Structure formats: structure tokens, C-alpha cells
Amino acid sequence: MLYKIAHILRDKLSWLWNVIEWMNGVIFHMRYGCKLKGFSFSAVPKGYEIVEIRDIPTDRMVEFFARQPEEAFKYFKPHGFDTGSIKMLQRNRAFLGYVLCDRLNGQIAGYCFNRCFFHGQGFRGRMVDIDYRGKGLGTAMNKILNEVGFGIGLRLFETVSEDNVPSYRSAMSASNVKVVKKMPHNELYLEIMKE
């Protein structure tokens, strides 16, 4: 129910969604901000570094999304990919967005996030750069998201389409999951279980 309401607000009443996002960010930061200070990851794959989205220039993020093929967005539409949308995410204290950078060339190899809510839930998502697919980075980013989400005490959820085979396999191999609900268009609403 909450999932449906969030999508209606985001898609039909964007001004109200923006106000709710701002308020959620303030309350989330009050509740979880101290737990995030100094948080360090242990699940980062060798040869990569994890950087918070707010520490990446906005134009680099826009370029990352523009570089991906159209098919990458068939199942991935969590937010806008333009400069304004990215800047809003970078300012949102309840959006725990991270970029996986290749240490050799500094290129963004992947993007992942937990969209968090002050009541203790987070919804995870990820995208692997077209040039870095097939290297297990989607699974690694799921583990990173689990590490920070569970590390600060969130319950984590995700939607994944069974038709999106790489994302489905990544979700299943990185985490212990429980299917909460089967949704239209072969989508599964998953709860990520703490191991």
C-alpha cells in the first residue's frame, strides 16, 4: 500500500512528493544521522571505491545515466535522471546514494541507493554501467546496501522483475529474501532479510 501511494505521489503530485521527501529527510537525519557518521564499508570489491552521491559532481551523474543504453531504464525508474533531479537526491538526507568508482580510471562503474524513510524502512536499487556488466558488481552493490541499511537498523525492501534476469539473479544471490507480494508485470515485492 505504501509503495503504491509513493508512486502515485511521485508520478502525479510531484510538488507534494518533494515536500514529503524534504520532511522525511529531516526526520530521518534526526533519527539515523549519528549512526551514519563514520560508517565504513567492508563489502567494497577489490579495485573499486565507494563514494557518496553528494560527493560526485552532478554533471558526472547525469553523464553516467546518459551513457547507459535505453534498455537499462526498462525496469529502472526510481527517480529523474536530469540535473535537477540528481541535485535533489544529493541534498536529500534520507537518500543514501553511492557510486562505485573504478580505481584504475576513476570511471563510475555502478550506482546504488537505499531510499530511506524515517519510520525505519529502506528501498534499495542499483544500476551497473554498460561497460562493467557481468563482473558481479550488482551483487556487490546489493551487499553494500545491505551492510549500511542493516548497520543503521533499517528493514530493507526492493521490487524486481522476474523478466529482468540480471537484476533478479543479483537480488537473489546477494541476499536472503522473502517474497512479500507478487505484483503485475512479473514484479516481485521483496523484503531483504538480515542474515
Side-chain angles (χ1 to χ4, degrees):
M1 179 71 162
L2 183 62
Y3 180 79
K4 283 184 180 180
I5 292 169
H7 277 273
I8 290 168
L9 289 173
R10 188 190 76 191
D11 298 339
K12 306 282 187 206
L13 299 168
S14 60
W15 66 270
L16 183 56
W17 174 257
N18 292 339
V19 170
I20 292 169
E21 283 264 277
W22 176 81
M23 288 176 28
N24 178 62
V26 169
I27 299 169
F28 178 84
H29 183 71
M30 288 169 39
R31 185 171 179 193
Y32 294 99
C34 61
K35 293 179 182 180
L36 285 166
K37 281 185 184 170
F39 188 89
S40 65
F41 295 94
S42 62
V44 180
K46 190 173 182 180
Y48 297 90
E49 67 177 327
I50 194 88
V51 181
E52 287 189 45
I53 189 175
R54 51 187 58 83
D55 295 332
I56 297 287
T58 307
D59 58 334
R60 281 195 67 205
M61 289 304 305
V62 172
E63 288 167 13
F64 167 79
F65 292 120
R67 188 172 58 245
Q68 307 314 311
E70 193 174 317
E71 58 96 49
F73 300 96
K74 182 175 181 181
Y75 303 104
F76 187 78
K77 300 173 188 168
H79 52 70
F81 304 107
D82 60 291
T83 300
S85 297
I86 300 302
K87 282 185 177 182
M88 283 183 70
L89 295 176
Q90 289 172 319
R91 288 190 303 263
N92 185 342
R93 293 176 162 208
F95 190 83
L96 306 182
Y98 304 97
V99 171
L100 198 60
C101 291
D102 188 330
R103 286 187 185 273
L104 286 176
N105 57 21
Q107 185 171 335
I108 297 174
Y111 159 71
C112 60
F113 64 86
N114 279 325
R115 182 184 290 275
C116 305
F117 296 90
F118 70 89
H119 57 77
Q121 292 184 354
F123 289 84
R124 70 181 192 180
R126 75 219 150 270
M127 175 182 273
V128 177
D129 182 84
I130 186 67
D131 295 333
Y132 286 85
R133 290 185 185 175
K135 299 176 186 282
L137 297 183
T139 300
M141 287 189 290
N142 279 333
K143 290 179 180 178
I144 288 166
L145 294 173
N146 292 353
E147 188 175 14
V148 68
F150 294 138
I152 65 171
L154 299 178
R155 286 180 67 196
L156 296 177
F157 297 88
E158 176 179 348
T159 57
V160 64
S161 174
E162 292 177 290
D163 297 335
N164 185 358
V165 176
S167 186
Y168 176 77
R169 285 184 183 158
S170 174
M172 297 304 177
S173 66
S175 311
N176 181 20
V177 301
K178 176 176 84 174
V179 177
V180 176
K181 183 179 180 181
K182 290 193 175 213
M183 298 167 54
H185 312 294
N186 290 332
E187 275 201 320
L188 299 175
Y189 183 48
L190 306 174
E191 180 170 3
I192 315 306
M193 308 304 291
K194 192 172 181 179
E195 295 182 15

